[in-house]
Amino acid sequence: SLVDEEGNQDESLESKTLSAEDQVKDHSTGTRVVAGQIFLESGKSDSQSENEENFQSQEEEKENSLEELNSLEVSKLLNKDLEEAEIQSPVLTAIGGTADGEPCHFPFLFMEKEYAECTADGREDGRLWCATTYDYKKDQKWGFCESEEQSNKRRQMQEAEDVYQIGMKILNESSKKAQKKVAYQYLLKAADMNHTKAMEKVSYALLFGDYLKQNIQSSKELFEKLTEEGSPKGQMALGFLYASGLGVNSSQAKALVYYTFGALGGNLIAHMILGYRYWAGIGVLQSCESALTHYRLVANHVASDISLTGGTVVQRIRLADEVENPGMASGMLEEDLIQYYQFLAEKGDVQAQVGLGQLHLHGGRGVEQNHQRAFEYFNQAANAGNSHAMAFLGKMYSEGSDVVPQSNETALQYFKKAADMGNPVGQSGLGMAYLYGRGVPVNYELALKYFQKAAEQGWVDGQLQLGSMYYNGIGVKKDYKQALKYFNLASQGGHILAFYNLAQMHATGTGVMRSCHTAVELFKNVCERGRWSERLMTAYNSYKDGDSNSAVVQYLLLAEQGYEVAQSNAAFILDQKEASIVGENETYPRALLHWNRAASQGYTVARIKLGDYHFYGFGTDVDYETAFIHYRLASEQQHSAQAMFNLGYMHEKGLGIKQDIHLAKRFYDMAAEASPDAQVPVFLALCKLGVIYSLQYIREINVREVFSHIDMDQLLGPEWDLYLMTIIALLLGTIIAYRQRQHQAIPRPAGLRPAVPQQEPPPEHQPPQ
């Protein structure tokens, strides 16, 4: 399921009030419910009278101290305090029982136990009740704290919560698909009982086809129900359905409304979508400052989740590249290759052990995150004396996990061993220990020294922490230029916190000229490393498993969030007409929309695709001029060989531009220079161009005129005709001599063999009819 921060869904009956007949006449109708307890503003209880006695004594002190004030000011002050006292003392009133309408007494004594709140003890039906005097046994005075209807609702919600918790327990504890499907059956049951969080989980599972059969219509109905209840997750998802036209008629205006409500409710994905929309000007006026507000809010959450390891690895696999070169462009490791490394590791290959340890520590490249296996591999390598493994063991102990208990002392030992061997990871870890006083006294000078050593060896953590020290002036004089330098270095190594720090500097103009555009791009990069990026991998696996419908919906949501790779992948699936949930007439227009968004973010293939769509009229009218513009942009900005070749072809044919064979040749030559793969098609295109040029030249000149201007007597002399006749005679003599030699008798062996019928050449070698 998508991971995001939503507003707390209060599952108590907070918004419910008692029906008119259940309310006692002497009480005001204002009610509020906390944990199933109904508070009615009513007559004074014993505790309230005690409060008033205290209040009166306070007032006497006030009157003594405020003798110099006029009577009007004193009365105002008294009125204000009286109002506050009334607001702060709501009293729970008993309903029915033997003391209907009387205030509950807290604490009360029942079965030799004091109760400070309503209880269901002693009742088989589970209804909450209270005593109206201290000793229930002595006075037998009691009443219900809730009506029967409210009691039934509370019990139903409790039952739903229990079912939900069982489902979530199975879901979190199991990695097997069959078990997760069982978990979703529990969640379905809880959702049928109107459990908000269960409805959220189930609606997303139905939308994406996660462990439940994909059903857009059912998910839409659940999202509408959630939206009515004020669920930010539901509002965001309904906005997505309207934005992408899934299960509803597409409406960008409605999408914007629902996204806005979702964001106001604290949904981070809604904030991210709005950030992208304001940045790209989709359905709203382009506004860098608005985009900055939304992206910064999400980035704050993402950065707070990032550990010192630099965050999770985001696999950005392009389906178009994957189809052309399976396994090459994705960066995924083949199963056979992983097994080979495992075999090497078992045989004691230290490098293989460290490599596999890092893969399992961070996850990625087709390997699931597994701290247990990472710990085992690092242990093996560390025992063999590998400093890198020692340093990573130090990091694991420093951060702590379910597998490795947090221990500063153990971490420090490993960091020291690694640092003594000159390992930058160990040096950086030791710097962190001295900076924050983990297992050692705080020592900024030593921290700075170790970070500098690590940074000199190019280790990103060292660079990042060094930048932070200069930025905050810890152990050194504040120096924003130095901070910027080290943050830039760390960002080149891909550390997400370096991007975050740079974004903050550009957003506030600290140490650099303020640049909203740069800040937004950096914050966007941070946001795209949030936990929701895991869905990129889920979508890819769905596509590999042949479930294009599930994949395209997941990519479409990520595309809304501004992931360029998701935009191009969604467009690719639509382009290939592999998603049946999208109508055939809508496939190309939707693909065109997402190619356009991906191209706006600098993806060359998408820009060429835009040219192709306008050239052939896919999802739009044939427009050679627009196609030419897109090809030219791809050629100039990204130096695309394909775009240059297409421009050459358009110049050659005069499509969308004036025909110009010289320019066509120039673009063909540029394409050949830009990519070795283009050399063969360019050679063929140039051959064709040469023939066309020759024919055009011949067509342009008049052959009869040329011959009429040639004076043969002057060119070859007065006896030119004799020379010509002699050459012809010699040629004829040569031909006759050659023919005679062929017809000379060839000696044959005795006995004639039957003639072998001449076989017909195979069909592929036959000349065209």
Side-chain angles (χ1 to χ4, degrees):
S1 67
L2 285 174
V3 183
D4 59 293
E5 302 292 329
E6 75 278 356
N8 292 327
Q9 299 298 312
D10 196 328
E11 288 163 271
S12 68
L13 305 173
E14 205 161 54
S15 57
K16 304 285 187 288
T17 57
L18 284 173
S19 57
E21 59 265 28
D22 290 334
Q23 290 176 7
V24 183
K25 289 177 186 177
D26 293 339
H27 308 308
S28 68
T29 55
T31 66
R32 66 188 188 92
V33 184
V34 179
Q37 298 178 27
I38 305 158
F39 285 84
L40 294 164
E41 291 179 16
S42 64
K44 296 167 188 174
S45 65
D46 297 340
S47 60
Q48 189 180 356
S49 60
E50 286 171 18
N51 287 339
E52 287 191 353
E53 284 170 17
N54 294 334
F55 173 73
Q56 284 166 3
S57 65
Q58 287 170 10
E59 287 311 310
E60 286 171 13
E61 290 173 17
K62 276 186 186 176
E63 283 175 14
N64 295 332
S65 62
L66 298 171
E67 285 175 354
E68 293 177 8
L69 291 174
N70 62 43
S71 58
L72 181 64
E73 285 175 322
V74 174
S75 64
K76 277 183 182 177
L77 189 63
L78 285 168
N79 289 338
K80 186 182 175 185
D81 285 346
L82 277 165
E83 284 168 12
E84 285 176 6
E86 285 174 8
I87 290 165
Q88 289 168 4
S89 57
V91 178
L92 188 62
T93 306
I95 302 166
T98 58
D100 185 30
E102 291 182 24
C104 288
H105 188 287
F106 293 116
F108 64 87
L109 190 68
F110 173 66
M111 300 285 284
E112 297 179 1
K113 182 183 172 183
E114 281 194 345
Y115 291 86
E117 59 185 5
C118 296
T119 180
D121 290 358
R123 293 195 64 84
E124 290 180 2
D125 61 3
R127 279 184 75 177
L128 294 171
W129 65 277
C130 69
T132 56
T133 59
Y134 175 72
D135 193 339
Y136 167 78
K137 189 177 180 181
K138 177 185 169 190
D139 302 317
Q140 296 285 312
K141 291 274 194 177
W142 68 278
F144 292 114
C145 297
E146 57 191 355
S147 68
E148 195 170 349
E149 184 188 349
Q150 287 170 326
S151 175
N152 291 336
K153 279 185 180 176
R154 182 181 55 77
R155 285 203 302 277
Q156 189 183 353
M157 288 308 294
Q158 187 56 51
E159 189 185 338
E161 176 65 23
D162 293 342
V163 174
Y164 171 75
Q165 291 300 339
I166 293 168
M168 288 305 294
K169 191 170 186 286
I170 298 169
L171 194 65
N172 293 329
E173 288 178 1
S174 177
S175 57
K176 291 180 181 175
K177 200 171 181 180
Q179 285 290 89
K180 286 184 184 285
K181 283 185 177 179
V182 171
Y184 268 96
Q185 291 308 311
Y186 280 103
L187 295 176
L188 261 174
K189 190 180 174 185
D192 290 338
M193 296 161 78
N194 293 327
H195 190 283
T196 306
K197 287 188 177 177
M199 283 161 65
E200 287 172 351
K201 298 284 276 186
V202 167
S203 55
Y204 277 99
L206 289 168
L207 178 65
F208 299 132
D210 286 346
Y211 311 110
L212 292 173
K213 191 179 178 185
Q214 191 176 30
N215 189 327
I216 304 287
Q217 200 57 38
S218 296
S219 69
K220 185 200 87 165
E221 288 165 9
L222 276 172
F223 288 138
E224 285 174 341
K225 199 172 177 182
L226 285 165
T227 299
E228 285 171 15
E229 290 182 12
S231 161
K233 271 190 178 182
Q235 290 161 341
M236 183 278 291
L238 203 54
F240 164 64
L241 292 183
Y242 276 107
S244 53
L246 293 170
V248 291
N249 291 327
S250 180
S251 168
Q252 296 304 321
K254 283 185 178 179
L256 187 64
V257 169
Y258 285 120
Y259 284 149
T260 306
F261 277 117
L264 289 170
N267 185 281
L268 293 183
I269 290 178
H271 274 295
M272 198 169 163
I273 291 169
L274 287 174
Y276 175 66
R277 288 193 159 224
Y278 278 110
W279 183 62
I282 298 168
V284 289
L285 281 172
Q286 201 166 6
S287 168
C288 184
E289 294 299 333
S290 297
L292 182 64
T293 304
H294 288 290
Y295 271 132
R296 181 191 263 161
L297 192 145
V298 182
N300 290 342
H301 280 270
V302 174
S304 65
D305 273 352
I306 299 290
S307 69
L308 293 172
T309 51
T312 53
V313 177
V314 180
Q315 292 290 334
R316 298 173 189 264
I317 303 167
R318 296 190 187 280
L319 298 181
D321 297 345
E322 181 74 1
V323 169
E324 286 180 22
N325 304 302
M328 291 295 288
S330 68
M332 302 286 284
L333 287 175
E334 294 289 334
E335 188 62 35
D336 294 345
L337 196 57
I338 294 168
Q339 286 178 0
Y340 172 66
Y341 283 131
Q342 286 171 345
F343 170 74
L344 287 177
E346 284 166 19
K347 290 287 180 186
D349 188 308
V350 176
Q351 292 304 318
Q353 289 166 349
V354 174
L356 284 170
Q358 285 180 283
L359 269 177
H360 285 97
L361 179 64
H362 304 299
R365 299 196 73 184
V367 178
E368 280 191 15
Q369 197 172 31
N370 186 327
H371 283 190
Q372 179 65 50
R373 299 202 69 178
F375 182 71
E376 287 165 7
Y377 283 124
F378 285 141
N379 243 332
Q380 289 171 16
N383 291 337
N386 184 280
S387 63
H388 219 60
M390 290 173 192
F392 273 99
L393 278 174
K395 286 187 86 164
M396 290 187 80
Y397 275 109
S398 178
E399 290 173 15
S401 66
D402 297 339
V403 177
V404 183
Q406 203 281 333
S407 170
N408 288 333
E409 289 71 24
T410 315
L412 198 66
Q413 287 172 14
Y414 280 115
F415 285 143
K416 273 184 178 171
K417 281 183 187 176
D420 289 343
M421 296 167 77
N423 185 279
V425 186
Q427 290 165 345
S428 177
L430 214 50
M432 292 296 288
Y434 281 113
L435 180 65
Y436 295 108
R438 294 174 184 166
V440 287
V442 172
N443 188 326
Y444 294 140
E445 284 181 20
L446 278 174
L448 189 73
K449 174 189 156 188
Y450 282 115
F451 287 142
Q452 280 173 335
K453 281 185 176 181
E456 281 165 12
Q457 293 189 63
W459 181 240
V460 287
D461 279 352
Q463 293 164 343
L464 177 78
Q465 296 304 328
L466 208 52
S468 295
M469 290 185 83
Y470 277 112
Y471 183 84
N472 297 307
I474 298 171
V476 286
K477 191 181 175 184
K478 267 191 187 182
D479 188 336
Y480 292 132
K481 283 189 179 177
Q482 283 292 331
L484 191 71
K485 171 191 162 185
Y486 285 112
F487 286 151
N488 272 320
L489 285 168
S491 71
Q492 287 165 21
H495 202 301
I496 198 66
L497 290 177
F499 286 114
Y500 177 75
N501 291 339
L502 281 173
Q504 292 284 26
M505 290 181 82
H506 282 283
T508 55
T510 307
V512 285
M513 282 286 287
R514 186 180 186 275
S515 169
C516 176
H517 186 78
T518 308
V520 167
E521 287 192 338
L522 288 164
F523 275 134
K524 182 175 183 285
N525 193 324
V526 175
C527 295
E528 289 181 4
R529 293 278 289 274
R531 288 180 185 167
W532 38 79
S533 63
E534 291 168 13
R535 188 154 291 284
L536 281 169
M537 205 64 218
T538 317
Y540 173 73
N541 289 331
S542 296
Y543 182 76
K544 292 294 279 184
D545 293 340
D547 192 353
S548 296
N549 284 337
S550 173
V552 80
V553 173
Q554 293 177 75
Y555 278 133
L556 284 170
L557 177 58
L558 290 163
E560 280 288 297
Q561 289 172 249
Y563 285 89
E564 177 271 302
V565 70
Q567 291 167 347
S568 56
N569 284 352
F572 175 80
I573 294 171
L574 293 167
D575 181 75
Q576 299 293 304
K577 297 196 171 179
E578 292 175 331
S580 59
I581 55 166
V582 180
E584 201 169 325
N585 295 335
E586 297 174 34
T587 304
Y588 281 133
R590 290 193 189 191
L592 180 68
L593 173 77
H594 286 95
W595 284 131
N596 197 11
R597 289 182 185 177
S600 299
Q601 296 200 59
Y603 183 41
T604 314
V605 173
R607 182 66 68 190
I608 295 166
K609 279 284 186 183
L610 281 177
D612 293 346
Y613 273 48
H614 284 97
F615 187 92
Y616 296 109
F618 292 159
T620 182
D621 297 328
V622 173
D623 187 342
Y624 294 131
E625 288 180 10
T626 307
F628 183 85
I629 290 165
H630 286 301
Y631 290 142
R632 194 176 66 195
L633 282 169
S635 163
E636 290 172 359
Q637 293 174 2
Q638 285 106 15
H639 306 289
S640 164
Q642 178 70 58
M644 291 168 186
F645 186 90
N646 293 353
L647 285 171
Y649 181 81
M650 293 183 84
H651 275 293
E652 179 190 323
K653 296 289 183 183
L655 300 170
I657 195 80
K658 188 183 174 185
Q659 189 176 25
D660 190 328
I661 287 173
H662 300 289
L663 269 175
K665 183 182 182 304
R666 183 182 163 200
F667 276 112
Y668 284 141
D669 288 339
M670 284 166 67
E673 286 172 20
S675 170
D677 295 339
Q679 287 176 357
V680 173
V682 164
F683 172 74
L684 296 171
L686 287 173
C687 290
K688 179 189 167 194
L689 202 63
V691 172
I692 291 168
Y693 180 74
S694 303
L695 290 171
Q696 194 175 334
Y697 179 75
I698 291 165
R699 198 182 297 124
E700 283 174 3
I701 62 167
N702 193 324
V703 179
R704 199 173 287 174
E705 260 183 52
V706 170
F707 278 106
S708 66
H709 283 91
I710 294 172
D711 188 351
M712 297 301 282
D713 286 348
Q714 209 171 4
L715 192 67
L716 299 172
E719 287 86 20
W720 66 269
D721 49 346
L722 289 174
Y723 300 148
L724 185 62
M725 285 170 70
T726 307
I727 291 164
I728 292 168
L730 285 169
L731 281 169
L732 280 169
T734 308
I735 291 165
I736 290 162
Y738 177 72
R739 298 277 293 172
Q740 278 181 340
R741 190 175 295 172
Q742 272 193 327
H743 283 88
Q744 281 178 357
I746 300 167
R748 295 179 182 222
L752 292 172
R753 292 180 184 177
V756 179
Q758 191 176 358
Q759 290 183 349
E760 288 184 13
E764 61 265 27
H765 298 302
Q766 286 183 3
Q769 297 295 317

